[in-house]
Amino acid sequence: MKQRLEQLLESGRQSVMQAQSDAVLQEVRVQLLGRKGELTALMKGMGALSAEERPVIGALVNTVKDSLESLIAERSAVLREEEIARRIEGERIDVTLPGRRRQLGSLHPITQVTQDVSAIFASLGFGVAEGPEIEKDFYNFEALNMPKDHPARDMQDTFYISEDVVLRTHTSPVQIRTMLKHQPPVRVIAPGTVYRRDSDITHSPMFHQIEGFLVDHNVTFGDLKGILTAFVTRYFGAEIGVRFRPSFFPFTEPSAEVDMQCVICSGKGCRVCKDSGWLEILGSGMIDPEVFKSVGYDSDIYSGFAFGMGVERIAMLKYGVSDLRLFFGNDVRFLQQFA
Amino acid sequence: MVVTWNWLKEFVEFDLTPEELSHRLTMAGLEVDVMEKLGAGLDGVIVARLLDVTQHPDADRLTVCRVDTGAGEVQVVCGATNHRSGDLIALATVGTILPGDFKIKESKIRGQLSQGMLCSEKELGLADESAGIMILPTDLQVGQPVFKALGLTDVRFELGLTPNRADCLSVVGVAREVAAMVAGTLHVPHATLQETGANIQTETSVEILDADKCPRYAARLIRKVKIGPSPQWLVRRLEAVGLRSINNVVDVTNYVMMELGHPLHAFDFSLLRGGKIVVRCPGDSAFTTLDSQVRKLTTNDLAICDGEGPVALAGVMGGENSEIRPETTDVLLESAWFEPYAIRRTSKRLGIHTDSSHRFERGADINMVPVALDRAAALIALLADGVISKGMIDAYPRKIENRSLIISTKRTNAILGLALSTAEVSRLLSSIGLDVKHAADADQLVVGVPTFRPDLEREIDLIEEVARLNGYDLIPVTMPSGCSTGHPEPAGQGTVRRLRDLMVAEGFAEVVNYSFVHPDVSDRILLTADDERRIHTVVRNPLTEDQSVMRTLLLPSLLETAARNIAYRSNDLSLFELRPVFRPVHGTELPEETLHLAAVLCGRRAPLGWCQTEEPVDFYDLKGAVEQLLEVLHIEGASWSNATGEPYLHAGKSCTLMHRNRCLGVLGEVHPKVLANYDIAYPVFMFELNVASLIQEANAISGIQPISRFPDVYRDSAFLLDSSVSAATITETIAGVRSNLIESSVIFDVYSGKGIPEGKKSVAVRVRYRSTERTLTDEEISKVHDRLVRSMESRLKACLR
C-alpha cells in the first residue's frame, strides 16, 4: 500500500509537470484526486489494512494528497504566468511609430520676450503701464524735450496721422502719461508696439519696445547701472559682461548706451558685433529735468532714470534670429519653433 | 564724421595704440563704428621702376614688364595701358595679400612668367575707381613700401556721433576730446596771412538784412587764383574722410570744414552781380543750386544774394550762377554763422542734406568764423597762388556771448552716485576747454561755456560732462532703495494673458501682423459701401500703399498670413492674433484703439499621421475653441445667433456671439468669394472677438460646486425631431424641466439620412442624474426622465425612438 502510494505520488508529479495548459492540469487533477480518481481508488483498499497500519497509511495518504494539491497549485501558477507572458509577447507593438498628436500652439517670440522681460522687472518691483499706439505729438515728442525743429527728431523718422498726431515712435510717451497720473515713487515698465518710417534688412516700420522708468528720492546713475546690470545678467546669463557708455537722448541726461558682451562670440569679435565684442542692448539715462518740468515733478526733490530696449533685437540675440523680417512674415515653420 | 590718426596727431600728442584710441573714443561717447588701418599688411607693395615694357608675344592686350625692385629684377605681366618704361609704379610682390583677400602668387600668364602685380589705386584701397595702374612721383626711393613712401600709412576712425556733439564734427573737435583723455594739450592752427592790394572794404560789401537768421557773416577776397587740381596730400586727406577732390579752391573750403568744423563757401567774385553780398530771405523764387537742381524758395528760406538775387542757399548749398569754374580768378570766400533752426527748416523742406547744413543745423561755433576764414584764405593763397586782399569784412550785427553756468558738486554727486571733490569737478570740466572758476560757495563752480559747445545749456549738461570725462565705468553699481508702489495692472491685463494662453493650449500659433494695411482690404472682404469699418485712420506719409491705413479688423491680415503660408504648402493652419484695431472717432484727435482677438483655422484637424484622422476642420472645431474661451473667462449663458450680417462670412455657417445684449464677436466660415480674393482654395473658419467686451463680461471664479459622494445614473434617449429644431432649443427644453437631480445633459448623436424620414433628424441625448444627498432610486429617476421626454414631445413635437 505504502509503495503504491509512493508510486502514485511519483506518477502524479510527472503528469502535473507535463500538463501544458490549465485545462490539461484540471484533467490531471480529476484523474488523481477526483471522486473517481486514483487516490480515491487506493483509499478503498484501506479497509483491508491492520489496525496498526491504518493510521500510518492514513497519514501517508494525506501527505500524498497535500503534496499533489500543492504540486497542482504550483504548476497552475506557473502555467498562468506563462499564459500572461505569451499574451504580452503576442501584443507587442512598434513603439517607434509616432504617437497620436494634436497641433501645438505657440506664443509669438515677441510676446514671449515681452513676458520674460516683464517678469524680471516685476521681480525688481516694476509694475506694467500701457498707452495708445497712435499718440499726440505732445506725449511722443514735446513733453520728452523734443520740440519741433529739434535735430533729435531726425533720429526717429515718424509716421504722421495729422500735424499733431503720430504713430508713436517709442514707448516713452507712456512715461509721460504715467507721471502725469501718478506722483513718485514710480517704478513702471511699458511694453508696446512702436512705428518708425524705415524699412530695410535691419529696420521694420513696426516693431516693439519695452520702456521702463523709476522715480524716487535720491535715485542715482549708480542705481540705473544696478537695475540694468541685474536685468541683463538675469536674462542673458550671469557671466555676461555689461558696460555703460555716454550717449544722447533728448529726454535723459546723462544718457547711456548699455552694451553687453556679444553672446555670439563671447566678446571675441564677430560679424554680429562688428568685431567690437559688444552689442548695444539698451538706451538709458537719468530723466532730464525738462521732462520732469513737463509732468510737474520737482527735480530738486526727485530724480529718476529711464531705459528702453528693442524687443526684436533682444529676441534676435536670444534665439539667434538673423533676419528681422521673420518676425512679421509669420511663417508657421518659424512660429512653431517657439511652441 | 571720419577722422584719421595722422590728422589728429597734428593737433594733439597721444601715446595710444589705434585699438586703445578707438576704445577710449567709444567710452567717451564718440562711438567708433569702423576702424580701418590704411596700408596695414601692405608692406609687400613697394616702389619699383619699370625697366622696360614690351608687348606680350601671345596676347594683344597684355604687356610684359621688366621691373627693378631695388633688390633685384622681376618680370610682371600687366594688362594696363598707362605705363611706360622708366615709370615708378606700385608693385605688389609675391606673397602680398591685397584688400579683398587677394593673394599675389607667382604664375604664368599666357605662357609668360609673372612675379607680382602692378597695382591701381583701387586695388590698394586708395580709391573707389581708377583708370590704369598707379604711376608714382619720380622722387620716391625704389624698394620702399609704397604706403610709407607716400605717407599714406594711417588709421581711419568712422564716428557715429550723437546729434548733441556738433563740436566733434571736426578733427580739431575730436582732438580736443583726445587731449582731455590723455591730459594733453590741444594745438589749434592759427593762420598767418600775407595781405596785398586794395582793402576788401573798397572792393565789395556785405549787408545782413536778417540778423535773426544770420548774426555773423565774414568774407575775404582772394584775387589772381589759378584754379587747378589739388596736391596729392590734400586729395588723399579728403578721400580718407570720404570727400571727393573738385579743385584746389573748393578742396580748401572742404579741408578747413573737416579740420575746424566750420563750413565755408567760395564764390566766383566776377559772377556776383553788383559785386556785393546781401543776406536776406528773397521770398518765393526759383534758384538753381550747384547740383543743377532748380529749388523753389519760400518766404522763410535764407539766401546769400548778390545785387540782384540769390547766389547761394545760406548754409546749405551754393548756386550754379556763382560757382568756382576753371577760369575763375577772383574768389570771394564766405565764413558765416546761421541759426540752426533756419538751416534745418530749409534743408528739411527742400530735402537737401549737405556737410554744411549738417554742421549748421547742429550748431557751428560762431567764434570760428574769422579763424576758419583766415585758415582757408592762407591755404588758397598757398595752393592756388592767390593774392589775399587787405582786411576782412566781418559783419556781426547780433553778438553771441559765451554762456555762463553754475554747477554744484553736491548735486553732481547726488545724481551720479559719486563722491567727487569740487576740485576734481573743476579739473574735469577744464580739460575740454571750459572756463571754470570757483564761486563764493565752495560747493559751486562758475563755468564759462565757449561757443563751440552749444549743447551745454544747463547744470545737468555739465553734470553729464563730469560723468563722461570721469568715466561711466567708475560710477559704482548700486540698487535703488525703497520699494515699489504697486501700481495696479491696467484693467484686463490678466484676462489678455489668459486668452493668449488658452489660444496656445487650443493649438493656435500667435502671429504679429503690421497694424497698417492696404486700403483695399475693405473690398477684398466685401464690406459694403456704407460699412463704417471702411473709414480708416490714414497714415499721411506711408512707405507703401500696403501700409497706408490703420486696420479696423484683424481678419484681412490673418487671411493674408494664411494665404502666404498656404503658398509655402503649410496647409493645416490654426493662427491667432491679439492686437488693437483703430477706429477714427469724430471730434477726437486720437482714434479709438480696441483690442481684438481673431483666429483662422483651416486644413486637417490633426497633423498627418498613421493613427490620426484625416478629416478637415469644420465650424464646430472653431466653435469649440470659442466655447472654451468663454469657459475660461466664466462667461455663462452666451447665445449664438445665426444672423451676423457680415458680408465676409458664409451666411449658413456663421453666427454672432452675444452675451447679455452685448455683441462679443462673430465666428464662422469665411465667404468663398473672400477666400477667392486671397487665392485660398479650401474652407477657412474664423472668429474675431472684441477683447474689451470679453474683459467686461468676464467673471472671476465665484466659488466652487460641491462634489457629490453618491453614484450617478444616466439615461440615453433618442428623439425624432423636425430638422429645423436647433440644439439650443433642445438644451433649453431640458433645462426647462427644472429638476435638481439632472446633473448634466449632452447631445451625443445627431443623425439624418437612411431610416429617418425626409425633413426629420434623430437627436440622441444622454441625461446624467445624481443627487448630492443620497443614492437615487430607479423610480425617482424615471419620474424625472419621463417628465423630460413628455416635455420634449409637447414642446418640440419630438418622438421618442
Side-chain angles (χ1 to χ4, degrees):
Chain A
M1 184 79 177
K2 188 181 170 195
Q3 201 182 356
R4 286 175 61 196
L5 274 170
E6 278 165 1
Q7 275 171 5
L8 175 64
L9 180 58
E10 190 43 42
S11 69
R13 185 196 304 277
Q14 279 174 20
S15 306
V16 166
M17 294 318 281
Q18 278 162 13
Q20 289 305 319
S21 73
D22 216 44
V24 175
L25 188 64
Q26 287 315 312
E27 278 171 33
V28 172
R29 178 193 176 82
V30 171
Q31 200 187 325
L32 294 171
L33 304 173
R35 268 188 290 130
K36 294 173 182 172
E38 290 174 35
L39 190 65
T40 316
L42 265 180
M43 279 161 68
K44 282 183 184 154
M46 288 272 282
L49 295 176
S50 67
E52 296 91 66
E53 271 182 320
R54 198 171 293 155
V56 179
I57 296 300
L60 188 59
V61 166
N62 281 336
T63 309
V64 169
K65 189 180 174 194
D66 287 351
S67 297
L68 286 172
E69 291 271 14
S70 68
L71 275 172
I72 290 166
E74 274 167 36
R75 181 65 187 157
S76 172
V78 169
L79 285 175
R80 265 203 309 278
E81 283 290 323
E82 282 177 6
E83 171 67 22
I84 288 168
R86 251 196 316 280
R87 203 176 75 216
I88 285 173
E89 186 56 33
E91 286 171 1
R92 188 176 283 274
I93 59 166
D94 180 358
V95 297
T96 65
L97 268 173
R100 199 166 281 119
R101 302 182 62 152
R102 293 180 53 200
Q103 182 76 263
L104 271 182
S106 56
L107 281 178
H108 195 283
I110 288 170
T111 304
Q112 290 196 23
V113 169
T114 304
Q115 289 183 352
D116 294 347
V117 170
S118 302
I120 291 174
F121 280 104
S123 76
L124 294 168
F126 286 74
V128 174
E130 287 174 343
E133 293 179 17
I134 299 183
E135 188 53 284
K136 291 182 187 171
D137 186 276
F138 173 78
Y139 294 107
N140 194 77
F141 290 125
E142 298 264 344
L144 288 159
N145 195 26
M146 274 188 277
K148 293 216 158 80
D149 286 328
H150 194 291
R153 287 201 179 194
D154 282 353
M155 291 165 87
Q156 305 178 0
D157 264 333
T158 310
F159 286 115
Y160 282 91
I161 299 298
S162 69
E163 190 68 28
D164 286 314
V165 177
V166 301
L167 299 186
R168 68 176 174 193
T169 56
H170 47 187
T171 39
S172 308
V174 182
Q175 220 184 99
I176 302 300
R177 287 179 175 270
T178 307
M179 290 195 283
L180 282 172
K181 224 185 287 172
H182 299 281
Q183 281 300 305
V186 285
R187 283 188 189 208
V188 165
I189 60 161
T193 309
V194 301
Y195 304 85
R196 287 187 200 171
R197 203 173 173 283
D198 212 345
S199 183
D200 58 39
I201 204 140
T202 55
H203 294 91
S204 166
M206 182 183 100
F207 59 103
H208 298 80
Q209 277 189 343
I210 299 173
E211 178 89 7
F213 60 101
L214 183 156
V215 182
D216 205 339
H217 297 285
N218 306 321
V219 178
T220 69
F221 195 95
D223 297 339
L224 174 158
K225 286 180 74 175
I227 289 283
L228 295 182
T229 304
F231 160 69
V232 173
T233 50
R234 277 180 61 183
Y235 191 75
F236 286 101
E239 70 289 353
I240 294 280
V242 182
R243 74 176 188 187
F244 295 76
R245 60 183 164 81
S247 188
F248 170 77
F249 305 104
F251 35 92
T252 53
E253 185 103 25
S255 302
E257 201 76 59
V258 186
D259 296 341
M260 66 169 188
Q261 231 162 28
C262 181
V263 286
I264 313 289
C265 64
S266 313
K268 286 194 273 294
C270 68
R271 193 181 49 81
V272 175
C273 62
K274 290 193 274 177
D275 285 324
S276 71
W278 294 93
L279 296 165
E280 275 178 34
I281 190 85
L282 286 149
S284 66
M286 301 302 288
I287 298 173
D288 196 289
E290 286 301 309
V291 174
F292 276 174
K293 204 186 284 173
S294 65
V295 298
Y297 282 10
D298 186 342
S299 50
D300 286 334
I301 302 175
Y302 296 112
S303 56
F305 60 80
F307 54 88
M309 66 192 102
V311 176
E312 283 80 358
R313 177 160 176 81
I314 290 184
M316 289 172 89
L317 296 174
K318 183 84 175 173
Y319 302 118
V321 178
S322 57
D323 187 347
L324 179 63
R325 292 167 299 192
L326 282 170
F327 293 114
F328 306 100
N330 295 307
D331 190 312
V332 291
R333 294 168 297 176
F334 173 72
L335 298 175
Q336 278 163 2
Q337 296 182 50
F338 295 92
Chain B
M1 176 69 200
V2 179
V3 296
T4 76
W5 178 272
N6 293 344
W7 208 341
L8 282 173
K9 283 263 181 181
E10 288 184 12
F11 309 117
V12 62
E13 260 316 305
F14 52 91
D15 185 19
L16 300 168
T17 65
E19 286 75 15
E20 282 166 350
L21 178 62
S22 171
H23 175 73
R24 298 281 285 272
L25 287 169
T26 295
M27 295 309 283
L30 312 177
E31 188 183 5
V32 176
D33 284 335
V34 179
M35 181 179 84
E36 188 190 353
K37 292 182 182 172
L38 300 177
L42 293 179
D43 284 352
V45 182
I46 58 166
V47 179
R49 184 182 306 280
L50 291 176
L51 296 174
D52 63 43
V53 179
T54 51
Q55 178 67 43
H56 190 292
D58 299 315
D60 289 350
R61 294 173 181 226
L62 295 178
T63 57
V64 179
C65 313
R66 249 178 355 106
V67 185
D68 172 15
T69 66
E73 226 182 272
V74 293
Q75 176 173 298
V76 176
V77 177
C78 179
T81 54
N82 65 328
H83 54 308
R84 304 283 171 266
S85 298
D87 283 348
L88 287 189
I89 46 79
L91 170 73
T93 52
V94 170
T96 305
I97 298 169
L98 293 181
D101 214 14
F102 176 42
K103 188 168 182 182
I104 304 299
K105 293 175 197 148
E106 185 171 301
S107 62
K108 277 197 171 166
I109 299 173
R110 295 277 183 103
Q112 295 294 315
L113 183 67
S114 185
Q115 300 163 293
M117 187 171 99
L118 310 189
C119 302
S120 68
E121 298 188 24
K122 187 184 172 192
E123 282 154 348
L124 295 179
L126 289 170
D128 290 336
E129 281 308 322
S130 39
I133 60 163
M134 192 174 179
I135 307 296
L136 301 172
T138 51
D139 55 351
L140 299 184
Q141 192 192 329
V142 172
Q144 259 202 314
V146 167
F147 277 84
K148 208 166 150 201
L150 289 173
L152 290 177
T153 313
D154 204 347
V155 189
R156 291 174 80 245
F157 299 91
E158 278 183 40
L159 306 178
L161 291 177
T162 51
N164 57 326
R165 295 308 301 273
D167 62 303
C168 286
L169 290 167
S170 67
V171 180
V172 163
V174 177
R176 183 181 294 117
E177 286 288 321
V178 176
M181 273 172 212
V182 299
T185 315
L186 177 73
H187 312 284
V188 182
H190 275 278
T192 42
L193 309 186
Q194 273 203 314
E195 300 174 322
T196 19
N199 192 298
I200 185 173
Q201 307 280 358
T202 63
E203 311 258 345
T204 182
S205 66
V206 170
E207 194 181 353
I208 299 174
L209 297 182
D210 193 332
D212 281 340
K213 293 197 180 78
C214 175
R216 189 171 197 179
Y217 194 105
R220 274 191 180 273
L221 189 59
I222 304 146
R223 294 197 184 267
K224 296 182 181 163
V225 299
K226 295 187 189 69
I227 303 298
S230 294
Q232 281 298 306
W233 68 265
L234 179 52
V235 175
R236 296 266 177 255
R237 201 153 249 191
L238 291 177
E239 278 172 355
V241 299
L243 292 175
R244 200 163 44 90
S245 172
I246 312 268
N247 59 48
N248 47 7
V249 169
V250 174
D251 287 357
V252 164
T253 61
N254 283 333
Y255 182 80
V256 173
M257 174 177 71
M258 297 312 287
E259 181 181 72
L260 301 177
H262 203 88
L264 303 166
H265 187 64
F267 295 101
D268 182 327
F269 184 57
S270 70
L271 297 176
L272 296 180
R273 295 155 293 186
K276 63 174 184 175
I277 291 289
V278 184
V279 185
R280 62 184 174 96
C281 295
D284 292 332
S285 52
F287 171 63
T288 307
T289 42
L290 47 75
D291 55 0
S292 304
Q293 301 286 310
V294 179
R295 313 286 184 174
K296 283 207 162 56
L297 306 190
T298 62
T299 326
N300 284 316
D301 294 323
L302 187 69
I304 312 304
C305 300
D306 59 10
E308 289 180 21
V311 288
L313 262 181
V316 180
M317 195 183 273
E320 207 173 50
N321 56 4
S322 57
E323 71 175 317
I324 302 294
R325 301 161 301 156
E327 58 273 29
T328 299
T329 57
D330 297 339
V331 172
L332 184 91
L333 193 60
E334 161 198 300
S335 179
W337 195 90
F338 306 104
E339 270 299 338
Y341 79 89
I343 302 306
R344 186 175 160 75
R345 275 187 195 162
T346 297
S347 91
K348 212 173 173 205
R349 194 179 55 74
L350 295 174
I352 320 175
H353 187 93
T354 60
D355 284 320
S356 170
S357 70
H358 189 77
R359 283 167 177 76
F360 281 125
E361 274 180 30
R362 280 162 171 71
D365 177 5
I366 200 162
N367 285 315
M368 192 55 86
V369 165
V371 180
L373 183 61
D374 283 354
R375 171 81 170 139
L379 279 171
I380 290 173
L382 182 72
L383 302 177
D385 293 337
V387 177
I388 304 168
S389 296
K390 275 187 189 144
M392 75 158 67
I393 293 176
D394 186 2
Y396 195 177
R398 186 162 66 83
K399 184 131 174 43
I400 295 194
E401 305 285 353
N402 282 5
R403 200 175 275 125
S404 179
L405 300 173
I406 290 171
I407 180 172
S408 147
T409 306
K410 217 169 84 188
R411 185 159 172 77
T412 302
N413 286 328
I415 286 182
L416 300 180
L418 283 170
L420 298 172
S421 67
T422 304
E424 282 172 296
V425 172
S426 169
R427 181 185 59 78
L428 291 167
L429 293 177
S430 304
S431 73
I432 49 165
L434 307 190
D435 177 23
V436 187
K437 292 192 180 71
H438 286 272
D441 184 338
D443 172 57
Q444 292 183 338
L445 294 167
V446 180
V447 182
V449 181
T451 45
F452 60 76
R453 286 304 299 269
D455 58 316
L456 304 182
E457 295 176 304
R458 304 163 301 163
E459 182 188 21
I460 193 72
D461 299 323
L462 295 179
I463 293 175
E464 179 175 59
E465 287 304 284
V466 171
R468 195 174 69 79
L469 294 163
N470 191 53
Y472 280 16
D473 289 357
L474 296 184
I475 296 173
V477 173
T478 52
M479 279 307 245
S481 55
C483 59
S484 113
T485 52
H487 289 296
E489 275 198 330
Q493 238 175 48
T495 306
V496 167
R497 222 169 11 237
R498 253 180 299 154
L499 284 172
R500 275 210 171 87
D501 288 347
L502 185 79
M503 289 308 291
V504 172
E506 293 283 341
F508 287 80
E510 187 186 19
V511 302
V512 172
N513 285 304
Y514 285 149
S515 302
F516 23 52
V517 293
H518 197 289
D520 79 359
V521 296
S522 304
D523 297 330
R524 292 176 88 187
I525 64 165
L526 311 176
L527 295 185
T528 54
D530 59 347
D531 194 311
E532 65 166 22
R533 290 164 303 184
R534 277 184 174 274
I535 306 164
H536 291 109
T537 303
V538 180
V539 179
R540 266 196 189 181
N541 55 337
L543 284 169
T544 70
E545 208 186 356
D546 282 352
Q547 303 169 355
S548 62
V549 300
M550 303 303 284
R551 54 187 176 171
T552 55
L553 283 170
L554 300 182
L555 175 68
S557 315
L558 277 170
L559 287 175
E560 221 163 281
T561 301
R564 205 164 46 237
N565 274 290
I566 290 167
Y568 285 113
R569 303 179 64 84
S570 298
N571 296 322
D572 308 331
L573 297 171
S574 34
L575 307 174
F576 82 98
E577 184 161 16
L578 199 167
R579 295 182 70 85
V581 296
F582 304 84
R583 190 174 69 93
V585 181
H586 190 72
T588 67
E589 241 184 319
L590 299 184
E592 184 181 84
E593 297 182 18
T594 312
L595 268 186
H596 274 201
L597 167 61
V600 290
L601 187 62
C602 63
R604 277 185 305 247
R605 186 169 294 151
L608 178 66
W610 66 279
C611 60
Q612 311 265 60
T613 168
E614 289 230 34
E615 282 170 27
V617 292
D618 64 20
F619 175 83
Y620 297 103
D621 289 289
L622 189 85
K623 190 186 173 200
V626 177
E627 285 169 341
Q628 308 221 60
L629 282 180
L630 297 177
E631 196 172 328
V632 164
L633 301 184
H634 304 281
I635 298 174
E636 280 166 23
S639 65
W640 316 78
S641 75
N642 209 194
T644 65
E646 290 292 15
Y648 54 79
L649 289 175
H650 180 310
K653 292 188 192 172
S654 60
C655 64
T656 303
L657 176 60
M658 302 286 295
H659 186 250
R660 295 193 307 187
N661 294 327
R662 188 195 292 273
C663 175
L664 302 182
V666 295
L667 61 151
E669 183 174 330
V670 178
H671 197 286
K673 282 205 285 195
V674 174
L675 291 180
N677 287 341
Y678 286 89
D679 290 325
I680 299 175
Y682 51 91
V684 173
F685 300 88
M686 66 75 69
F687 70 72
E688 181 149 357
L689 306 176
N690 182 321
V691 175
S693 302
L694 288 175
I695 289 170
Q696 268 172 321
E697 297 299 309
N699 296 300
I701 301 175
S702 54
I704 58 148
Q705 295 293 316
I707 296 171
S708 174
R709 296 185 286 119
F710 300 97
D712 69 325
V713 176
Y714 64 81
R715 293 284 166 87
D716 290 348
S717 300
F719 297 98
L720 199 62
L721 290 150
D722 275 349
S723 314
S724 62
V725 176
S726 71
T729 51
I730 296 171
T731 315
E732 279 161 24
T733 305
I734 294 171
V737 173
R738 290 183 187 286
S739 163
N740 56 9
L741 300 186
I742 299 178
E743 188 181 62
S744 65
S745 66
V746 177
I747 294 172
F748 70 91
D749 190 38
V750 179
Y751 175 75
S752 56
K754 205 176 162 206
I756 303 292
E758 189 78 5
K760 296 277 184 190
K761 63 180 172 186
S762 164
V763 176
V765 182
R766 172 166 298 180
V767 185
R768 195 174 288 276
Y769 296 93
R770 198 200 304 260
S771 158
T772 53
E773 289 151 12
R774 61 185 187 284
T775 302
L776 296 176
T777 64
D778 201 41
E779 206 174 327
E780 277 176 300
I781 292 162
S782 296
K783 224 165 96 185
V784 181
H785 197 73
D786 287 349
R787 196 143 60 79
L788 186 150
V789 172
R790 278 198 304 281
S791 180
M792 289 287 288
E793 286 167 346
S794 62
R795 290 204 188 181
L796 305 181
K797 302 195 174 62
C799 286
L800 195 61
R801 291 182 73 205

